[in-house]
Amino acid sequence: MPSSHRPAKSIRVLLAEDQGMMRGALALLLGMEPDIEVVAQIGAGDVIVDTALMCRPDVALLDIELPGKSGLDAAAELRDEVPDCRVLILTTFGRPGYLRRAMDAGAAGFLVKDGPVEELAQAIRRVLMGETVVDPALAAAALASGPNPLTTRERGVLEASADGATVADIAERLRLSESTVRNYLSAAIGKTGTRNRTEALREARQQGWL
C-alpha cells in the first residue's frame, strides 16, 4: 500500500522465510494491509537478531526451518536481545513438539502456513497487543502429546548422528566418551519407541522434538 494511505503508525514486521517465492508473496500480501509494513525480508536464521537490532521491528514473523539457525533458536535470542519485538512462528510443519519449543523460546504465536493472509495479519495485530495466538488444532495436539521426553544431551547426540556419523565421530564432535554416546542413543531409542537411532531420529523430527 502506498505510504500516503498508511496510518501514521504502522506495525513494523520482520519476515524470515528461506523460500524466496513464499517470502516475496507474504511480504506483498502483508504490505497490502493498511497498518502493516514489512521492514525486512531475510532468508537465513543466523542474521535475524542482527537485522532486528538494526530495523527494530514490532513483530518478527519466523519460519522454523531456516539455514544457519532455526527460527526457534532465533526466537529465544530475540527474547533476550530485542525484548520489545514479539515473535510469531509461521511454519509448514504443525508439529506439537515445535509448538512447545516455540512457547519455551518466548514466541507469542504459532500458526501454520495454510491459513488465509487475513488471519495472519490479524494474528500480527493480536500478538502486538499482548495476546498469545496459537493454531487451535495444533494446541490440542500439543496437549495430547505431552512434553518432549528427550533430554538436551539426547537431542544433541541424535542430531549429531543425522549425517550417518559413527559413535566415535559423535563422541569426538561432542567431546563425550563413546560409552556415554551409546547410552544417550539407547535412551533416545527407548523413549521414542523405535528400533535404532535412524528410526529414533526420524520419529523425534516428526514429533518436533529436535
Side-chain angles (χ1 to χ4, degrees):
M1 176 170 288
S3 58
S4 60
H5 294 161
R6 289 186 179 278
K9 173 61 174 174
S10 294
I11 302 171
R12 296 169 58 82
V13 173
L14 178 151
L15 174 59
E17 160 65 52
D18 64 329
Q19 298 183 26
M21 186 175 295
M22 173 67 76
R23 184 170 66 247
L26 279 173
L28 178 63
L29 291 170
L30 288 174
M32 296 174 68
E33 296 292 320
D35 57 342
I36 294 176
E37 179 183 5
V38 178
V39 296
Q41 300 180 48
I42 53 181
D46 49 5
V47 296
I48 289 174
V49 173
D50 287 344
T51 304
L53 286 169
M54 287 189 293
C55 67
R56 293 292 173 176
D58 300 305
V59 177
L61 185 59
L62 310 181
D63 192 6
I64 289 179
E65 297 194 353
L66 295 167
K69 182 175 294 182
S70 77
L72 297 175
D73 290 336
E77 291 187 3
L78 283 173
R79 176 187 57 198
D80 297 332
E81 300 292 333
V82 195
D84 291 338
C85 177
R86 302 280 283 173
V87 173
L88 180 60
I89 299 292
L90 181 67
T91 182
T92 304
F93 306 103
R95 297 169 179 165
Y98 280 165
L99 172 57
R100 288 183 177 275
R101 290 171 61 194
M103 297 298 103
D104 288 344
F110 194 109
L111 298 175
V112 291
K113 292 180 181 177
D114 59 0
V117 71
E118 292 82 8
E119 288 186 8
L120 176 59
Q122 189 58 27
I124 289 172
R125 299 180 185 106
R126 289 174 63 189
V127 298
L128 188 60
M129 294 174 62
E131 296 183 41
T132 299
V133 181
V134 176
D135 179 88
L138 185 57
L143 288 173
S145 68
N148 186 343
L150 301 175
T151 67
T152 300
R153 273 299 194 184
E154 290 163 359
R155 294 198 301 269
V157 169
L158 267 186
E159 289 174 330
S161 72
D163 58 359
T166 66
V167 169
D169 292 334
I170 298 170
E172 181 177 0
R173 188 179 306 169
L174 299 181
R175 298 182 178 179
L176 299 170
S177 70
E178 292 185 23
S179 62
T180 299
V181 169
R182 290 191 183 92
N183 288 339
Y184 283 136
L185 287 173
S186 178
I189 291 167
K191 289 178 179 180
T192 55
T194 54
R195 295 173 297 179
N196 53 57
R197 66 180 185 175
T198 301
E199 290 183 2
L201 179 65
R202 182 167 58 245
E203 178 66 15
R205 282 178 168 170
Q206 186 173 349
Q207 294 294 333
W209 294 335
L210 297 180

